[in-house]
Amino acid sequence: MDIDMDMPLPEELELLEANSHFYEEPYLDSPPRDPCPPKSPPSENLEIEGPKRPRESVETEPSAEENKRTKTNEIEEEEEDWLPYSAPQETNVAAAVEKDEEVYLSRYASAIDGDFLPVTAPSGGERVYAKISRAQRDEGFKKLNLKERSNGLIFEPVNVLLQRVEQQAFAKALQASSEHLSDITLPDTPMVHEQLWVDKYAPSSFTELLSDEQTNREVLLWLKQWDSCVFGSEIRSTSDEVLSALRRHSTQHQKSFDSNFSRKSRGHRWSNGSYRPINNVGHGTNNLKGMQDLWNKKSRVTGPPEQKILLLCGPPGLGKTTLAHVAAQHCGYRVVEVNASDDRSSSTIEAKILDVVQMNSVMADARPKCLVIDEIDGALGDGKGAVEVILKMVSAEKKSDSGKENNANKKGRKITSLSRPVICICNDLYAPALRPLRQVAKVHIFVQPTVSRIVSRLKYICSKEGMKTSSIALTALAEFTECDIRSCLNTLQFLNKKKEALNVMEISSQVVGRKDISKSAFDIWKEIFQKRKMKQDRKSNSSSGSGYGEFDFLHSLISNRGDYDVILDGIHENLLQLQYHDPVMQKTVKCLNSLGISDLMQHYVIRTQQMPLQVYQPSVAITLHRIVAQVQKPTIEWPKSYQRYRTMLMEKADILRSWHQKIPPYISRHLSTKSCIEDLISPLLHILSPPNLRPVALHLLSETEKNSLAQLVNVMVSYSITYKNMKSDSLSSNLGHKEVLDASVLSFEPPIGEFISYKDYRSDHHVLALAMKQVLLHEVEKQKILQVSTGKSVHRSDKCSNGDQDFIGKEASGAKSAKMIGENAGAGTKNYENVKNISNTRQGNSSTSTISSSLVSSRSATAGAKQKSTADTRKPTSGFNFFERFRNPTSKGSQDSEIAAVKEVTLERDLRPVLYKFNEGFTNAVKRPVRMREFLL
Amino acid sequence: MLWVDKYRPKTLDQAMVHQDIALNLKKLVAEQDCPHLLFYGPSGSGKKTLIMALLRQIFGPSAEKVKVENRNWKIDAGNRTIDLELTTLSSTNHVELSPSDVGFQDRYIVQEIIKEMAKNRPIDTKGKKGYKVLVLNEVDKLSREAQHSLRRTMEKYSASCRLILCCNSSSKVTEAIRSRCLNIRINAPSEEQIIKVLEFIGKKEGLQLPSGFAARIAEKSNRSLRRAILSFETCRVQQYPFTSKQAIPPMDWEEYISEIATDIMKEQSPKRLFQVRGKVYELLVNCIPPEIVLKRLLHELLKKLDAELKHEVCHWAAYYEHRMRLGQKAIFHIEAFVAKFMSIYKAFLIATFG
């Protein structure tokens, strides 16, 4: 029924093909949910379009139909007439009409029976004969007759009719495609450039897929879940039905799959119970807005699937990409692929993805698109861009979903959300870049297809290519390549080219390229710990050969992976959990010795930077394998304990160091951090919590108790240990501290108690009662403050000494903590208040830090005053207390902030009269010389 | 203040242990000059105390007025700059630092910072010593490279600077450095000396010491004066009127190690070894150096062992300690030692008891 085109050049043919597709497409992809498609159908489509129309139009206007039919015929004839004059366009036009119009072209007049028209191309002067088709007209009439009959009395349901029409279309397409194929392959026979078998025999329909059936189905099901969102139809029940539908068309040849699929899906929609026509009747007006509402409502009911991204992962060569393409095409999508070779920076990829996901092309291929991001784990730096964009879109979707319903939904889709399926493909599921994606995506892990499946496929291909192989050899090949169909095919093609036969025995020595796969660490550990069930034949080959092969295998495995540190850690971690027979631990000793050796080696290599020595690392692992490998499956855990040890050690060492630095130097210089831990902490904890200290009020203590308390406080201060409120209960339980009010537990401020809290170990340290701790806390603060002040006075009294640096250091820390706890300490002795005030001024002082001896007092006073004038929230109260203390009628005029200066002097007020002059810094007070005595009377 | 700090001798004259050394040092300084010094000896034997006393002897009381500084240095090392942070204690005449704190980059500390410090002659030479003193702690932890850089500095700036090095073991200080210094070995004080010190403290504090009590503390202290005084104070706090049978509270980590040793003696199997590993990790996490763990473990095991095995076990302990120091991951080697011990012990048990 089609033309027997005998065009000389393949390029021209390709052009033809493209054009034919071009004309097919508008029809194929006119959005199927559109209730009233714009009725300006191209003439070629009419024949099929006609019957597919909603029924009412067929019934009511048969005459119009007929009119149109005749008109198109006229057009066709016009075109034919017009052909000779516009010869340059000849091929195009011919191509355009080739399929559906019954025009026959041939280079030979004899090839055409009936009337024909000679056509001459101006460039080549080639002559073709076009048939003026009588037959076509006849057929047209026949069809019309048929139609009229069905118009009058429909004894055949519309479905049947439609199906029939569809089948006809299929048959036609099938024929066309088969013809195409022969056309293509024929000129290629001289092997100008041979197509790779991998491409040539790539599965193009769903049933041809070699990958695991289960995975295939799930991928397809997932894609189908998008239907409601993308095509607007409901999900059509189970995948079984899908598959049965598939089976119906699986006999079709490849090239026609586009049309097949779309047609099929359409057919289904019709047969499945006319959802939309009814709706259309309901919405008589059929305006666009109503349609939109309907669509929204529906999309809410059956939206896209939960997980909007599909992540396929698995080793190379199992057909992940193929599956994605085939499945997407099967479901009527146009596949847009982004892979590692494309630019994958964040911005470009975003534009691209948005393009794909949110827009539909008006032009060429109006099928909805399906994005396939291949090798998403490949480029870490840039690949992340894609992951980020997708994640952003998914999260945006979720947000908009949780928000408003109707408008937000519509809007959300416009802006960011994913409304098209996205399939990501990766080899390593655990690549760090994919971590966030893993959580939102539906993950499918590819498993190796069965060998028999691959072999049968290989066999089929070989027979097609006329290559002689045995299934044993193919099996061996498949096993050798670990079911990587791609490498199988490449090997076969290569052999075929060399005119060699596949040899079973020499597969390893033959050309087969071994894949340089780096396996995951888990696989390597498994290989090390698990004895392989050796192939009998390999063993029989040579007794020493098996060991050699094993060595080789493990060696390449481990060295491909690199990362010996992790591998040996993992061995160390899991070694003792293995079940190996070891009565006197000799094996264990051996293993640990070899681990030790590897550690020495590692250290040496790092120290001397002699990286080539790393090659000896795998042999250590192989030794271990020889010693402990068992047949049963080991349970392997990721080695965490060493890392945990490292981090915790760092943490604790840090605590220790900072504590060490806080201890005043006259003590800390004699202690290294090591000896702290070794000698100091245990006794110190004992000393800090004496069992015979009664938690009573201070004035109830006896003299000796007071002494010991004072000493304790002294120790705590000098080692800069305090108590701190801790919220954690774990600590209290650690110390065996049963606290009723568990909310606040006082514990040591540098948490020195933790250094002796080992697992499964109970120390017999006495723990003070909470009340006692509070008393201690209080006392310690008091002591610190006192020390600050005495340090100050000592400091000032001997002016000649150039600043006792020890004390300065202490003061700084003391003042700091005094500031912290200033409010807490609630013991209201007058003396204490006074001290507090002093500490306040000292704060300012310590911040400026440099203290020279003679000018100190005045300068610090001004500093203090300055600080006071700036907003300090605590100031008013303390200032108030202070003023209370000096309620003296003589000092009325001086009740401004400068009085702070005086506080410095209160301790040694009686020593000598001091004249203060303020000539530094800024104050807004009245300046006049005042005698000290005036304040102090 | 703890008694350890309170009764620390401030001057060379006050020294109660190592009086002979103190005397020698005093003589050395009295002659207006002093070579580089290398103090070495076990911890708790009084190295730092002696050094401080020596500094005081040289510079007078001003040596005690130190300030803590946390300084950052930027070092230009070829094509990159390295940031180093180091805490120093310094008085007018001396600087104290532990260069090993910065880890593997200690070389730069020696090359740049110490050199710079050594270069600067103290300005105030009038009536004072014409040199300053650098005290370097934990020299044995310095890397080989750092030690090599150090020896040149020692020679070059010897006119303006004296180095006092302090470490636990002289074996890890290179020959070159040792030969440039006057080596002073500070022994761990003998038990008699410790008893003497404890009795002195007891007298000062006005405590009644039952006879033999001080001896018990000294015995338990592992000949570390610091530890002896600390546990003395602990006992005082725990229960004052001392009884001669009073329990001396043990170090917690030592207790824990003896628990481990008991575990090992009870059962020898990979499973048990796994448990032991967990416990060893616990110790290491709490900053207890692996060498000490191994040493203590050996000590505990030897206590419970048959005499004929002791020699072998000691040998293997030394073997694994050596490997541990060569390597990086201490846990591997400690565990290997435990496994070796288990193996030996189990074989022994089978041989003896069938």
Side-chain angles (χ1 to χ4, degrees), chain A residues 171-273:
Chain A
K172 214 188 288 177
L174 177 65
Q175 214 168 342
S177 60
S178 63
E179 218 121 335
H180 275 301
L181 254 197
S182 59
D183 277 354
I184 288 166
T185 43
L186 273 179
D188 273 351
T189 35
M191 295 276 188
V192 180
H193 60 90
E194 195 180 57
Q195 217 181 351
L196 279 181
W197 288 6
V198 177
D199 299 329
K200 196 166 163 189
Y201 294 102
S204 48
S205 80
F206 195 79
T207 40
E208 277 180 75
L209 287 172
L210 275 178
S211 41
D212 182 47
E213 191 75 16
Q214 182 71 22
T215 316
N216 293 353
R217 284 186 189 209
E218 277 175 32
V219 170
L220 195 70
L221 183 65
W222 179 83
L223 267 172
K224 276 290 171 196
Q225 283 173 342
W226 282 92
D227 275 5
S228 62
C229 171
V230 178
F231 297 107
S233 68
E234 284 179 38
I235 301 171
R236 251 169 276 111
S237 70
T238 60
S239 59
D240 279 340
E241 201 177 320
V242 174
L243 278 181
S244 69
L246 268 178
R247 233 164 263 137
R248 230 192 297 157
H249 296 296
S250 60
T251 47
Q252 306 293 339
H253 212 282
Q254 300 100 313
K255 285 291 173 178
S256 58
F257 56 81
D258 310 33
S259 53
N260 278 0
F261 292 148
S262 59
R263 246 168 252 197
K264 176 182 57 69
S265 62
R266 240 174 193 239
H268 274 296
R269 211 167 304 122
W270 276 94
S271 63
N272 253 14

Side-chain angles (χ1 to χ4, degrees), chain B residues 190-249:
Chain B
S190 67
E191 288 187 8
E192 291 77 43
Q193 280 173 317
I194 292 177
I195 292 171
K196 216 171 78 188
V197 172
L198 292 181
E199 275 167 353
F200 168 76
I201 293 173
K203 207 169 77 188
K204 282 267 180 183
E205 288 285 321
L207 301 174
Q208 295 280 319
L209 274 175
S211 64
F213 186 62
R216 276 180 60 214
I217 293 177
E219 187 199 0
K220 275 254 190 171
S221 69
N222 230 348
R223 287 179 71 195
S224 160
L225 195 54
R226 180 194 295 128
R227 190 186 285 192
I229 297 172
L230 277 169
S231 40
F232 184 43
E233 194 175 355
T234 310
C235 289
R236 161 73 182 79
V237 165
Q238 295 282 326
Q239 180 187 1
Y240 167 51
F242 293 122
T243 58
S244 54
K245 288 204 174 63
Q246 188 177 345
I248 298 163

Side-chain angles (χ1 to χ4, degrees), chain A residues 572 593 603 652 669 682 765, chain B residues 48 252 277 286 320 326:
Chain A
H572 176 241
N593 274 345
H603 185 62
K652 294 238 169 170
R669 65 174 11 168
S682 292
H765 286 280
Chain B
K48 281 310 274 294
D252 290 286
R277 176 198 291 172
N286 283 297
Y320 285 110
L326 289 180

